[in-house]
């Protein structure tokens, strides 16, 4: 999915994305000095956390805007612009790590992406990742779909959110042994009075390309957000109904 990111706003208002990523990174159990790839590194915040643990890191991302931010923030880290399904390294890696990225990649592209990850790893290398799993943001997408329909448009949910039963076999077929897999709810606090509205504006971009009038786009968002208030607004704070799929695998 080709998206232009507002790298400053993403970094300022959506820092929870990389804060939660720390828990995923804890699954890596390689020694300091290991070569670790942060696949879909975005603004590089987690790549830096991995570097602080003593790993030799490289960050890979498709977004020029986010990489520019990453390079400015951490000039000593190597960041490469590349496609998750089609990248190569000069030397094989001990581990590949990825947080909150794979749901942006179309389902059809996942087998190629997983084979690509397998190719860059040493035999026995670790692959640790988390992304949106089955049912992720179900409430949000349901209300957006209804609001789109009421305005005469159809809503194409732009993400891939698989369950364990669907994804683990794909990981295995690419050449990995799956060592752990979990799907869990993570009701996630959003920042600010307009938390949910800002979240929709930041992350749900492509479905709105079919709605030419910006005022109508706003009306759709307002309608959905009003209806979501009963479920996603608690004690003065907005939340998103995240579900995560987390896995740890090893290259055979
Ligand atoms: C997620 O991290 O699950 C996610 C973030 C933005 C849009 C969709 C999903």
């Amino acid at each position: 999915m080709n998206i232009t990111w507002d790298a400053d706003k993403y970094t300022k208002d959506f820092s929870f994305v990389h804060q939660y990523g720390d828990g995923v990174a804890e699954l890596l159990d390689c020694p300091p000095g290991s070569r670790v790839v942060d696949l879909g590194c975005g603004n590089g915040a987690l790549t830096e956390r991995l570097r602080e643990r003593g790993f030799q890191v490289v960050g890979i991302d498709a977004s020029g805007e986010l990489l520019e931010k990453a390079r400015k923030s951490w000039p000593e880290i190597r960041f490469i612009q590349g496609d998750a399904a089609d990248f190569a390294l000069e030397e094989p890696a001990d581990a590949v790590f990825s947080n909150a990225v794979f749901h942006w990649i179309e389902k059809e592209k996942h087998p190629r992406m997983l084979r690509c990850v397998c190719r860059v790893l040493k035999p026995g290398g670790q692959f640790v990742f988390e992304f949106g799993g089955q049912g992720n943001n179900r409430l949000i997408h349901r209300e957006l779909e209804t609001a789109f329909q009421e305005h005469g448009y159809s809503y194409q949910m732009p993400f891939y959110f698989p369950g364990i039963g669907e994804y683990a076999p794909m990981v295995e077929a690419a050449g990995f042994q799956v060592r752990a897999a979990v799907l869990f709810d993570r009701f996630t606090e959003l920042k600010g009075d307009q938390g949910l509205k800002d979240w929709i504006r930041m992350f749900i971009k492509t479905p709105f390309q079919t709605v030419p009038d910006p005022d109508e786009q706003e009306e759709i968002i307002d309608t959905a957000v009003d209806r979501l208030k009963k479920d996603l607004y608690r004690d003065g704070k907005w939340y998103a109904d995240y579900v995560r799929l987390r896995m740890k695998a090893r290259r055979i």
Side-chain angles (χ1 to χ4, degrees):
M1 200 181 298
N2 279 332
I3 288 216
T4 306
W5 289 96
D6 179 341
D8 288 328
K9 189 164 176 55
Y10 180 85
T11 301
K12 188 164 125 320
D13 292 342
F14 298 92
S15 55
F16 68 82
V17 176
H18 63 78
Q19 281 156 6
Y20 276 109
D22 280 338
V24 191
E26 277 165 23
L27 295 177
L28 288 168
D29 61 10
C30 18
S34 301
R35 289 171 54 78
V36 177
V37 177
D38 182 3
L39 187 55
C41 61
N43 63 13
L46 277 168
T47 329
E48 163 62 10
R49 309 275 289 170
L50 295 169
R51 192 191 65 82
E52 285 165 7
R53 278 176 60 185
F55 299 136
Q56 291 180 58
V57 292
V58 56
I60 298 180
D61 206 281
S63 161
E65 306 86 55
L66 291 175
L67 284 178
E68 195 185 322
K69 178 100 189 152
R71 288 182 181 125
K72 266 197 204 129
S73 306
W74 293 288
E76 66 283 7
I77 296 181
R78 186 163 164 238
F79 291 103
I80 304 173
Q81 188 160 21
D83 180 340
D86 186 18
F87 69 97
L89 302 171
E90 301 92 52
E91 277 183 61
D94 296 293
V96 173
F97 161 86
S98 182
N99 179 55
V101 173
F102 293 168
H103 47 254
W104 295 97
I105 298 172
E106 297 85 355
K107 178 178 178 179
E108 298 64 40
K109 216 170 152 183
H110 279 249
R112 193 151 61 88
M113 187 267 293
L114 293 167
R115 285 197 302 274
C116 182
V117 171
C118 193
R119 263 197 313 275
V120 302
L121 278 168
K122 293 177 185 165
Q126 294 173 42
F127 181 28
V128 162
F129 59 88
E130 181 178 299
F131 66 110
Q134 192 174 48
N136 194 35
N137 308 137
R138 198 194 298 279
L139 296 172
I140 299 175
H141 293 300
R142 195 183 63 196
E143 289 304 349
L144 282 171
E145 182 171 21
T146 304
F148 266 68
Q149 280 165 0
E150 287 167 0
H151 283 255
Y153 297 100
S154 89
Y155 179 72
Q156 301 299 323
M157 211 280 286
F159 304 105
Y160 174 48
F161 297 137
I164 295 173
E166 177 174 332
Y167 207 65
M170 280 167 72
V171 175
E172 287 173 348
F176 292 96
Q177 182 186 55
V178 173
R179 308 287 297 194
V182 58
L183 183 78
F184 60 97
D185 291 329
R186 198 192 71 201
F187 208 63
T188 300
E189 187 183 324
L190 304 175
K191 203 167 168 180
D193 299 346
Q194 303 286 309
L196 184 55
K197 207 168 172 180
D198 287 346
W199 185 92
I200 293 173
R201 287 205 196 101
M202 173 61 81
F203 292 118
I204 313 290
K205 297 208 195 276
T206 50
F208 286 96
Q209 288 166 0
T210 60
V211 183
D213 178 0
D215 291 338
E216 198 171 14
Q217 293 184 5
E218 284 302 300
E219 279 171 38
I220 290 175
I221 296 175
D222 286 342
T223 303
V225 168
D226 276 353
R227 290 173 182 162
L228 285 161
K229 196 161 185 176
K230 66 179 183 345
D231 293 312
L232 299 182
Y233 190 73
R234 292 188 190 164
D235 302 324
K237 288 188 175 127
W238 283 102
Y239 293 83
D241 54 334
Y242 279 108
V243 177
R244 316 314 288 164
L245 175 60
R246 184 182 280 194
M247 282 196 193
K248 178 167 182 172
R250 185 182 285 171
R251 181 183 164 172
I252 293 168

